[in-house]
């Protein structure tokens, strides 16, 4: 046994909401006519949420309760209209998404990627054919870890193409608590980024500054481990593994990437998940700078059964071989706090491939030490 510490705490980058325009100029309006996209009625509607965006300055969340305070039905026959007004002087194409909720606040209908052109002082209108969906208060797919939070209404960041264009990604916006279609980029998971538009659809730009590292990286959203790279390799020799790569979902000497990355909004967790990094936590890889992590992050052992991830190493991680430790957060990257002896000491991580608590991989330990198996791991051990 040994103690571990160090997990990824990634803060989302979101678009700031702002509205600009000259008040002296006439306003423009969009009238939305809500209908269902199929014969299935959307019953018990108690709230309509509209997200309006227009690059580069407008991102607004609007909430419409029923005028009489009573639930209503949206179908292919009834007419349900609402109006969105814009500050004077605003014109051109705007993008909208519409979600309807029941009395419990659960989304029961949605349509995204609605584009409407407005002109100063004019009234535009568009029909909104809402897709009925099961109440979303409880996620229907578990990403392997219960994050303890909610799935926001709007587009799905795992599959943005269901509601967004091919050039867009679905951003988890902590400010509006919505999934929003925004401009996407080409950055693969694991690539450096400055904003969400740098990342390819299905991923988002995460900022590690809140955990002490000036690093921003594209991370892939997921619903389960199948969306992440599976275990594909083991340690095969004294100095190398069969895999590598610096992107979330890439496999290295560990068990591969899994859908275990938690997504917070401020101090609260959401129910979203991202793929972890299948990096190489061995001391040899840390010394050579070949752990497979983006620059500025370290490969840390963050859970049982060889679970690893690229994270911001705490400032306390200074201990090397033989140094006393109480937790894994006191041992440098490439080392863990070994509790299997009579005292807790930082020990170098090595490749083990244990069978019946005996390492079968050639030892990659320095100074004549050998790799010893650990109770909760198979791939990795410690140099003793």
């Amino acid at each position: 046994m040994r103690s571990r510490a160090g997990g990824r705490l990634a803060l989302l980058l979101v678009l700031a909401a702002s509205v600009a325009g000259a008040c002296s100029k006439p306003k423009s309006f969009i009238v939305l006519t809500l209908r269902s996209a199929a014969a299935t009625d959307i019953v018990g509607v108690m709230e309509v949420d509209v997200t309006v965006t227009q690059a580069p300055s407008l991102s607004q969340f609007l909430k419409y309760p029923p005028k009489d305070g009573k639930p209503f039905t949206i179908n292919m026959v009834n007419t349900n209209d609402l109006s969105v007004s814009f500050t004077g002087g605003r014109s051109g194409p705007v993008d909208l998404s519409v979600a309807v909720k029941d009395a419990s606040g659960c989304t029961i209908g949605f349509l995204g990627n609605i584009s409407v052109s407005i002109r100063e002082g004019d009234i535009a209108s568009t029909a909104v054919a809402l897709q009925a969906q099961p109440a979303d208060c409880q996620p229907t797919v578990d990403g392997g870890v219960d994050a303890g939070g909610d799935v926001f209404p709007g587009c799905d960041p795992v599959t943005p193409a269901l509601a967004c264009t091919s050039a867009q990604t679905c951003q988890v916006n902590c400010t509006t608590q919505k999934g929003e279609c925004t401009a996407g980029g080409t950055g693969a998971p694991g690539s450096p980024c400055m904003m969400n538009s740098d990342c390819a659809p299905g991923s988002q730009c995460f900022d590690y500054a809140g955990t002490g590292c000036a690093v921003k990286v594209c991370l892939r959203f997921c619903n389960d481990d199948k969306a992440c790279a599976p275990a594909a390799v083991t340690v095969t020799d004294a100095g190398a593994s069969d895999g590598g790569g610096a992107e979330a979902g890439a496999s290295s000497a560990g068990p591969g990437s899994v859908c275990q990355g938690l997504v917070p909004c401020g101090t609260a967790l959401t129910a979203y998940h991202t793929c972890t990094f299948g990096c190489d936590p061995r001391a040899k890889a840390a010394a050579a700078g070949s752990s497979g992590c983006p620059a500025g992050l370290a490969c840390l052992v963050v859970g049982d059964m060889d679970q690893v991830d690229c994270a911001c190493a705490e400032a306390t991680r200074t201990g090397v071989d033989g140094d006393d430790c109480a937790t894994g957060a006191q041992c440098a990257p490439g080392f863990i706090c070994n509790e299997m002896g009579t005292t807790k000491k930082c020990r170098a991580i090595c490749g083990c491939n244990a069978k019946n608590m005996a390492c079968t991989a050639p030892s990659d330990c320095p100074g004549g030490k050998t790799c010893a198996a650990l109770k909760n791991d198979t791939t990795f051990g410690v140099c003793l």
Side-chain angles (χ1 to χ4, degrees):
M1 296 288 293
R2 68 261 178 244
S3 62
R4 294 178 168 126
R8 180 176 63 212
L9 180 61
L11 302 179
L12 291 173
L13 298 175
V14 297
L15 295 176
S18 61
V19 181
C23 294
S24 61
K25 296 182 179 180
K27 292 183 178 181
S28 52
F29 298 84
I30 298 177
V31 176
L32 304 178
T33 299
L34 309 184
R35 300 186 183 276
S36 62
T40 302
D41 291 356
I42 305 175
V43 299
V45 178
M46 283 296 293
E47 181 183 312
V48 180
D49 294 342
V50 180
T51 301
V52 186
T53 58
Q54 185 185 50
S57 60
L58 174 63
S59 178
Q60 191 76 10
F61 175 71
L62 306 172
K63 183 181 295 186
Y64 298 80
K67 291 182 179 180
D68 58 5
K70 298 179 181 180
F72 62 96
T73 298
I74 296 175
N75 54 33
M76 299 180 72
V77 178
N78 295 345
T79 298
N80 297 281
D81 293 337
L82 58 86
S83 175
V84 180
S85 63
F86 296 84
T87 333
R90 188 171 293 278
S91 62
V94 296
D95 295 319
L96 304 98
S97 66
V98 178
V100 294
K101 296 182 177 181
D102 61 16
S104 298
C106 305
T107 299
I108 53 177
F110 176 76
L111 183 66
N113 196 31
I114 307 167
S115 181
V116 182
S117 290
I118 59 174
R119 291 188 301 177
E120 181 182 325
D122 200 0
I123 300 176
S125 61
T126 188
V128 179
L130 294 162
Q131 297 284 346
Q133 64 182 57
D136 72 346
C137 288
Q138 296 295 328
T140 57
V141 180
D142 187 5
V145 173
D146 183 4
D150 294 326
V151 172
F152 298 152
C155 55
D156 180 3
V158 178
T159 54
L162 294 179
C164 309
T165 69
S166 59
Q168 291 179 314
T169 189
C170 179
Q171 155 185 281
V172 176
N173 191 326
C174 292
T175 301
T176 62
Q177 296 192 340
K178 298 280 291 184
E180 298 176 347
C181 294
T182 60
T186 59
S191 301
C193 56
M194 291 301 296
M195 56 189 65
N196 293 332
S197 58
D198 294 328
C199 300
S203 60
Q204 186 163 332
C205 190
F206 283 72
D207 191 347
Y208 288 76
T211 57
C213 291
V215 178
K216 296 179 182 178
V217 178
C218 297
L219 298 179
R220 178 187 291 117
F221 287 104
C222 55
N223 283 329
D224 52 46
D225 292 347
K226 295 178 182 178
C228 308
V233 297
T234 56
V235 177
T236 55
D237 58 43
S241 61
D242 294 342
E247 61 182 58
S251 184
S252 183
S257 174
V258 292
C259 192
Q260 298 266 348
L262 301 182
V263 179
C265 275
T267 59
L269 289 174
T270 69
Y272 298 105
H273 300 89
T274 58
C275 292
T276 62
F277 286 85
C279 55
D280 187 344
R282 294 177 298 161
K284 188 176 185 69
S290 59
S291 66
C293 288
L297 300 181
C299 185
L300 306 177
V301 180
V302 295
D304 290 338
M305 300 308 295
D306 303 299
Q307 186 181 334
V308 298
D309 197 9
C310 295
C312 182
E314 299 93 328
T316 56
R317 286 184 175 271
T318 58
V320 293
D321 188 55
D323 288 346
D324 292 332
C325 58
T327 70
Q330 293 175 305
C331 299
F335 298 80
I336 59 174
C337 189
N338 181 34
E339 298 180 354
M340 294 181 65
T342 56
T343 58
K344 296 181 181 180
K345 299 286 185 180
C346 293
R347 297 298 183 190
I349 302 172
C350 50
C352 178
N353 292 345
K355 293 182 179 179
N356 298 320
M357 289 300 294
C359 293
T360 62
S363 178
D364 52 19
C365 294
K369 294 189 175 183
T370 59
C371 193
L374 294 166
K375 290 182 180 179
N376 294 329
D377 288 336
T378 299
T379 304
F380 302 115
V382 291
C383 295
L384 296 176

